[in-house]
Each structure stands twice: as structure tokens, then as C-alpha cells.
Amino acid sequence: GENVEQHPSTLSVQEGDSAVIKCTYSDSASNYFPWYKQELGKRPQLIIDIRSNVGEKKDQRIAVTLNKTAKHFSLHITETQPEDSAVYFCAAPNAGNMLTFGGGTRLMVKP
Amino acid sequence: GAVVSQHPSWVICKSGTSVKIECRSLDFQATTMFWYRQFPKQSLMLMATSNEGSKATYEQGVEKDKFLINHASLTLSTLTVTSAHPEDSSFYICSAPSSGENIQYFGAGTRLSVL
């Protein structure tokens, strides 16, 4: 099955700086890579995703890059704001539409 | 996007009792739903795949007799934690993929506290 590793586990940045979170996956057949944001006690919310036919996708301050050869993908948040503070999870699909999640990154944006 | 409703949001129960959690897809049909457990400061761990009209598929280490899953219709899956104990206290979340999509839509989660 799929194995997903995520780094770093915690990330502290100053407001306005950029944050980068990286994930690697094991199954070269995987073709869909979502990123979820989870605030304390709440459900994970999909913030951006990328499919294997593109290398980069951007949505305002959030971007995701994908390197299929190296089997890794990254989340980039620019101009971070305190409300970006949360836990972020990457994921990759297993058989049958199930997702394997990375271990999560706790992002803290200091005002 | 699609909506997945999960109830209850918070349960406090005595040790030894059973707790049922419901997961509904409100505006789409879900032949498959997933149940996750999340301990504090940890990632989501898949417990089982709920299959409409057939038996659930459990991940290694998850006791099927303790975590009963029923997926009786295309919009409803239930997870029953039987004879709950304090170590079962956790955040349980369901999800469902919308038809034809990889995207998973999550329920709001159920915080279970077993005294």
C-alpha cells in the first residue's frame, strides 16, 4: 500500500513569511495529491489538490508542486497570516479511493 | 462541494456502554465511506472501509467485533463502539468520496470521551 511521509512535524514562522511543507509517497501509480487543513477539534478541510498531469497549481497564497519522478509534493503558503495556524495534512490515494495521510505539520504563525 | 454530516459531535459515556456514530452523505450517494480515528496531536488513522450492502473492511489491528460498522444504505454508515473503555476515547471522523472523484469529504467528527 501507499506510504506517505510528511516534514516537518512542526513549523513556526513569522507573520508575512512563507511556509513550506513537504511530503513523499511510495506508490508511483498515485495520481492525486490533496492537502487538508485541520483546526483544533474540527474536520479536515481540503485547501488544494493536484493531479499528476500538472506540476504546479496555485490558488491565491497557496500553491502545491509535484515531482512525480522523485515522488514528492509540497505545499507552499506565502504571506502567512495568524489564521493560517493549524495542522496541515498531505495525502495520497490507496486502492479504492481511500487516502493515506501524512503525519501532519503543526504550523504556527506568530504575529 | 459535497456535504457529509456526522452525529453526534460529542459523546461522554460510562465505561462498558456502547456508542453509535452516524455518518450521512447529504447530497450524493456513497457506496464507500471511511472511518478514521485521530488521537490528540496525531494524524488520521484509517480504521475501516464501510461498503454499502456488504461487510466492512478493517485495517490491521482494528477489532471488528469492537467497532461494528453498518452501511445499510447509499447515504448512511454507522460505527458502533461496543463496550467502550477509556482507551477508546478519541476523535472519530468519517469521510466519503463523491461519485467519480478522488476528493474525500469529511464529517465534522465525533469526540468520544469514555469515563
Side-chain angles (χ1 to χ4, degrees), chain A residues 63-85:
Chain A
V64 55
T65 58
L66 171 64
N67 183 328
K68 283 223 75 180
T69 303
K71 290 190 281 187
H72 67 69
F73 57 110
S74 300
L75 177 71
H76 304 253
I77 305 174
T78 58
E79 300 173 35
T80 53
Q81 301 167 4
E83 51 265 38
D84 294 330
S85 297

Side-chain angles (χ1 to χ4, degrees), chain A residues 12-89:
Chain A
S12 181
V13 299
Q14 206 68 40
E15 182 177 1
D17 288 349
S18 295
V20 181
I21 303 170
K22 298 180 180 179
C23 284
T24 61
Y25 61 97
S26 60
D27 187 352
S28 57
S30 292
N31 58 4
Y32 171 71
F33 306 94
W35 283 92
Y36 287 86
K37 175 183 180 182
Q38 187 181 28
E39 297 178 358
L40 189 63
K42 296 189 177 180
R43 79 182 83 195
Q45 297 274 12
L46 179 70
I47 56 171
I48 196 167
D49 56 15
I50 192 168
R51 298 184 188 274
S52 60
N53 56 342
V54 297
E56 182 174 0
K57 183 177 177 181
K58 191 172 182 180
D59 183 3
Q60 299 182 335
R61 296 187 297 108
I62 295 172
V64 55
T65 58
L66 171 64
N67 183 328
K68 283 223 75 180
T69 303
K71 290 190 281 187
H72 67 69
F73 57 110
S74 300
L75 177 71
H76 304 253
I77 305 174
T78 58
E79 300 173 35
T80 53
Q81 301 167 4
E83 51 265 38
D84 294 330
S85 297
V87 180
Y88 292 80
F89 293 99

Side-chain angles (χ1 to χ4, degrees), chain A residues 6 31-32 34 36 38 40-46 49 51 87 89 93-104 106, chain B residues 3-5 32 34 36 38 40-44 46 49 59 91 93 97-98 100-109 111:
Chain A
Q6 182 173 345
N31 58 4
Y32 171 71
Y36 287 86
Q38 187 181 28
L40 189 63
K42 296 189 177 180
R43 79 182 83 195
Q45 297 274 12
L46 179 70
D49 56 15
R51 298 184 188 274
V87 180
F89 293 99
N94 257 314
N97 276 338
M98 72 178 71
L99 292 175
T100 297
F101 287 87
R106 185 172 301 276
Chain B
V3 177
V4 173
S5 174
T32 302
F34 302 103
Y36 297 87
Q38 186 177 34
K41 298 186 178 180
Q42 293 188 22
S43 187
L44 293 92
L46 181 66
T49 302
E59 295 300 300
F91 193 52
I93 311 179
S98 186
E101 295 182 332
N102 292 120
I103 298 173
Q104 295 278 346
Y105 298 97
F106 284 87
R111 184 163 304 282

Side-chain angles (χ1 to χ4, degrees), chain B residues 6-15 17-22 35 79-81 84-86 88-92 109-115:
Chain B
Q6 184 174 344
H7 294 281
S9 58
W10 196 2
V11 179
I12 302 174
C13 69
K14 292 182 179 180
S15 185
T17 59
S18 294
V19 175
K20 180 185 281 189
I21 303 169
E22 292 189 348
W35 287 96
L79 168 68
T80 301
V81 183
H85 290 284
D88 298 323
S89 299
S90 188
F91 193 52
Y92 293 86
T110 299
R111 184 163 304 282
L112 173 62
S113 298
V114 184
L115 305 178

Side-chain angles (χ1 to χ4, degrees), chain B residues 18-37:
Chain B
S18 294
V19 175
K20 180 185 281 189
I21 303 169
E22 292 189 348
C23 182
R24 293 179 187 273
S25 55
L26 295 187
D27 49 1
F28 66 101
Q29 294 182 332
T31 55
T32 302
M33 291 185 178
F34 302 103
W35 287 96
Y36 297 87
R37 181 167 50 186

